[in-house]
C-alpha cells in the first residue's frame, strides 16, 4: 500500500469493535420496525450518536436522523444508511430472530445501520479528517413511494446539511463477504407498479356461456404480458415485467365478477420506461375488450434509476481497493434490476451507491430465511471511515 495512505483507517482498526457491532446489529434485528414506524430504532441510534459527540437532528422527513461531526473547515460529505424492515414473518430460527410478529429485517437494513454506526464511532474517536461529515439514517426505504429519501429531501436535507457528495451501499447475497461492487451511470433500475382489475360478468360455473369470465381474461393477460419485453424492447436494453399477484374467485362452482393482477416493472432508461407503460396499458385494454370485459388500470411510477456519477464512483472504488485489494473489488458491476430510493439523492448531489457481498450461501433479499452477515460489519465500518478520511483529506 502507498505509504501516503498508512494514516487512514484499515480493516484491522475495527477488529476490536467486531463483537460490539454484532451485538448492535442483532439488537436491531430483534426489534424491527416497518416503514414510517421506526420511532424506537431512531431513538436507539440517536442516543448512541449523541454519546459519541455528534450533533444529532431528529425527525427529518419523519423518523429520519442526521448526525453531524465537524472537524475544522473543509468540504462536506454525506453517508446514508436505511433503518426500516419488511412485513415478512421470519424463518431463520436465529436466537436473535425478530420478536415482532410479521416483521423482520429481510433486506439487511439492520446491517447497513450498524456499519454506519461503527464508522460514526471510529470517526469520532480518530477525527482523521478536515471538514464536515453528515451521517444520514433514513426511514422508509421500502415504502415504494413517498419514501424516506423523498421526505428527507423535502424537509430540507441538502439545504440544512450541505454536502459535496453522498454515498450509500447495499449488501448483495451470492457474492463473497467483503467484496465491493461498483458501476457508473445507470446502476439500479427504476421501479413502477401496475394494478389491473378485470371486470366481467359472474355466474354459475355450469353455465359459462352466460358469463364474461374474468379468470379466462386474466389467464390470457398473464400469457400476453410475457411478450411485452421480448417483442417490444430492444434486446440490448434491460427491462423486467413481473406479475406478482393474481387473484380471482373463492369457490370452484362460481365464476366471479372480477379478477385482479399486480405487476412490478423495471427499466433503466426514460425511453424504455415510457414504452413499457404504453405497451402494458394498451395490451391490457385491447385484450380485455376482445373478451367482452371492462378494466381498471392504475399505473404508478415508483423510484427512478440510480445513476452513479463517474468521478465519485471512481473515487469510492479506489478507496475500496486501498482497503481490501483489487481482488475483492468488482468493476464494472451491474446493472442491478432491484430499485433504491437512493436515486432521489443522486438527482440532487453527485455520488455513488455500491454493493457489498453478503456471502455465497446467503438467502436472497426479501426472503424469510435471510440474515445479514455479521462478518461484513467491520468491512463496512472501516470502508465508510476510510471514505470520509480520504474525501475530507487535508491537502
Amino acid at each position: 500500500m502507498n505509504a501516503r495512505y498508512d494514516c487512514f483507517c484499515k480493516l484491522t482498526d475495527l477488529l476490536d469493535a467486531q463483537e460490539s457491532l454484532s451485538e448492535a446489529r442483532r439488537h436491531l434485528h430483534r426489534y424491527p420496525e416497518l416503514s414510517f414506524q421506526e420511532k424506537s430504532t431512531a431513538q436507539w441510534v440517536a442516543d448512541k450518536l449523541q454519546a459519541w459527540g455528534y450533533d444529532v437532528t431528529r425527525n427529518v422527513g419523519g423518523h429520519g436522523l442526521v448526525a453531524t461531526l465537524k472537524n475544522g473547515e473543509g468540504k462536506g460529505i454525506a453517508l446514508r444508511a436505511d433503518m426500516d424492515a419488511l412485513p415478512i414473518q421470519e424463518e431463520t430460527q436465529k436466537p436473535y430472530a425478530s420478536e415482532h410478529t410479521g416483521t423482520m429485517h429481510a433486506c439487511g437494513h439492520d446491517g447497513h445501520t450498524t456499519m454506519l454506526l461503527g464508522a460514526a464511532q471510529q470517526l469520532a474517536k480518530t477525527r482523521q479528517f478536515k471538514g464536515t461529515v453528515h451521517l444520514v439514517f433514513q426511514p422508509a426505504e421500502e415504502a415504494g413511494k413517498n419514501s424516506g429519501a423523498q421526505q428527507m429531501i423535502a424537509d430540507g436535507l441538502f439545504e440544512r446539511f450541505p454536502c459535496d457528495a453522498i454515498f450509500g451501499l447495499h449488501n448483495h447475497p451470492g457474492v463473497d463477504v467483503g467484496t465491493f461492487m461498483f458501476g457508473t451511470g445507470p446502476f439500479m433500475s427504476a421501479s413502477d407498479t401496475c394494478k389491473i382489475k378485470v371486470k366481467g360478468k359472474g355466474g354459475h360455473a355450469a353455465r359459462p356461456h352466460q358469463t364474461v369470465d374474468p379468470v379466462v381474461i386474466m389467464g390470457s393477460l398473464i400469457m400476453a404480458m410475457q411478450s411485452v419485453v421480448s417483442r417490444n424492447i430492444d434486446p440490448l436494453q434491460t427491462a423486467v415485467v413481473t406479475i406478482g399477484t393474481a387473484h380471482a374467485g373463492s369457490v370452484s362452482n362460481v365464476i366471479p365478477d372480477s379478477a385482479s393482477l399486480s405487476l412490478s416493472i423495471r427499466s433503466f432508461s426514460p425511453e424504455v420506461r415510457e414504452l413499457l407503460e404504453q405497451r402494458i396499458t394498451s395490451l391490457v385494454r385491447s385484450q380485455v375488450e376482445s373478451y367482452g370485459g371492462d378494466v381498471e388500470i392504475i399505473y404508478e411510477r415508483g423510484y427512478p434509476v440510480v445513476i452513479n456519477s463517474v468521478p465519485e464512483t471512481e473515487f469510492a472504488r479506489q478507496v475500496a481497493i486501498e482497503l481490501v485489494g483489487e481482488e475483492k473489488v468488482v468493476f464494472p458491476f451491474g446493472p442491478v434490476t432491484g430499485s433504491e430510493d437512493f436515486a432521489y439523492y443522486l438527482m440532487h448531489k453527485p455520488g455513488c451507491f455500491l454493493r457489498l457481498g453478503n456471502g455465497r450461501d446467503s438467502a436472497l433479499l426479501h426472503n424469510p430465511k435471510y440474515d445479514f452477515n455479521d462478518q461484513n460489519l467491520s468491512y463496512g465500518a472501516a470502508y465508510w471511515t476510510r471514505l470520509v478520511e480520504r474525501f475530507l483529506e487535508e491537502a
Side-chain angles (χ1 to χ4, degrees):
M1 183 181 292
N2 191 317
R4 172 194 169 197
Y5 301 136
D6 285 349
C7 61
F8 298 123
C9 185
K10 297 175 282 294
L11 278 173
T12 52
D13 296 337
L14 272 297
L15 291 180
D16 291 343
Q18 178 64 38
E19 184 176 349
S20 63
L21 289 174
S22 294
E23 291 176 357
R25 204 281 298 183
R26 294 177 183 190
H27 169 86
L28 291 169
H29 191 90
R30 183 176 284 116
Y31 304 109
E33 294 178 298
L34 297 174
S35 297
F36 308 113
Q37 300 176 22
E38 310 92 345
K39 183 177 180 180
S40 295
T41 301
Q43 178 70 48
W44 187 84
V45 170
D47 288 347
K48 285 187 172 296
L49 292 163
Q50 283 189 318
W52 296 332
Y54 282 81
D55 181 7
V56 179
T57 304
R58 304 168 189 248
N59 302 316
V60 182
H63 295 304
L65 304 171
V66 180
T68 300
L69 188 65
K70 186 173 182 178
N71 192 41
E73 298 300 321
K75 296 189 296 183
I77 184 174
L79 307 179
R80 175 272 213 167
D82 35 20
M83 299 187 293
D84 56 329
L86 284 158
I88 295 174
Q89 181 61 41
E90 183 162 356
E91 298 178 6
T92 65
Q93 311 303 317
K94 300 285 187 179
Y96 50 85
S98 171
E99 294 187 12
H100 296 170
T101 301
T103 303
M104 74 169 289
H105 274 294
C107 205
H109 295 186
D110 50 344
H112 302 165
T113 296
T114 305
M115 288 189 290
L116 194 54
L117 282 173
Q121 187 174 24
Q122 183 71 8
L123 287 165
K125 181 172 67 176
T126 61
R127 295 179 183 257
Q128 183 68 35
F129 65 91
K130 184 178 181 182
T132 302
V133 56
H134 300 295
L135 306 180
V136 179
F137 291 87
Q138 182 204 302
E141 190 280 326
E142 300 286 2
K145 59 182 179 180
N146 300 319
S147 73
Q150 291 171 278
Q151 294 194 25
M152 292 189 81
I153 292 168
D155 203 8
L157 176 68
F158 292 121
E159 292 78 22
R160 297 163 65 185
F161 310 98
C163 65
D164 293 281
I166 186 166
F167 299 85
L169 68 75
H170 202 292
N171 74 93
H172 195 95
V175 177
D176 288 339
V177 168
T179 301
F180 292 82
M181 293 154 277
F182 299 87
T184 55
F187 184 60
M188 295 183 68
S189 70
S191 175
D192 302 325
T193 60
C194 182
K195 296 179 181 178
I196 301 164
K197 184 176 182 180
V198 177
K199 299 177 181 179
K201 178 183 177 183
H204 201 294
R207 302 179 185 89
H209 60 290
Q210 296 176 350
T211 73
V212 176
D213 191 341
V215 180
V216 172
I217 300 173
M218 180 175 68
S220 73
L221 287 175
I222 290 172
M223 295 308 299
M225 213 66 69
Q226 308 310 309
S227 70
V228 171
V229 173
S230 66
R231 290 300 177 267
N232 292 275
I233 305 302
D234 185 335
L236 299 181
Q237 298 281 354
T238 300
V240 179
V241 176
T242 295
I243 299 170
T245 67
H247 298 289
S250 57
V251 293
S252 63
N253 64 345
V254 175
I255 293 174
D257 276 323
S258 65
S260 62
L261 296 167
S262 64
L263 281 60
S264 179
I265 303 109
R266 312 296 172 121
S267 58
F268 288 88
S269 78
E271 296 78 17
V272 170
R273 196 178 194 184
E274 187 67 32
L275 180 58
L276 287 169
E277 180 174 356
Q278 291 175 1
R279 290 301 304 133
I280 288 170
T281 55
S282 175
L283 183 151
V284 169
R285 292 188 190 283
S286 60
Q287 192 88 349
V288 173
E289 183 181 342
S290 73
Y291 282 89
D294 295 315
V295 66
E296 289 181 2
I297 302 173
I298 301 175
Y299 201 104
E300 293 185 314
R301 295 289 179 99
Y303 298 164
V305 179
V306 172
I307 302 177
N308 285 334
S309 54
V310 174
E312 285 70 25
T313 301
E314 178 57 21
F315 167 76
R317 185 176 75 91
Q318 289 300 326
V319 172
I321 291 172
E322 294 168 16
L323 185 72
V324 298
E326 290 196 40
E327 67 279 1
K328 298 199 74 172
V329 176
V330 181
F331 177 83
F333 182 81
V336 178
T337 51
S339 301
E340 247 287 346
D341 73 344
F342 194 85
Y344 293 108
Y345 298 129
L346 294 175
M347 295 171 71
H348 293 265
K349 293 288 180 178
C352 173
F353 194 74
L354 58 126
R355 311 285 289 195
L356 176 60
N358 198 56
R360 292 187 180 273
D361 298 328
S362 171
L364 297 176
L365 301 173
H366 293 210
N367 183 293
K369 292 183 172 60
Y370 170 86
D371 191 25
F372 184 86
N373 195 322
D374 282 351
Q375 294 179 57
N376 260 333
L377 295 172
S378 56
Y379 280 99
Y383 178 75
W384 283 143
T385 303
R386 192 181 186 92
L387 187 86
V388 169
E389 293 172 344
R390 290 275 283 105
F391 192 86
L392 301 180
E393 181 180 354
E394 292 192 46

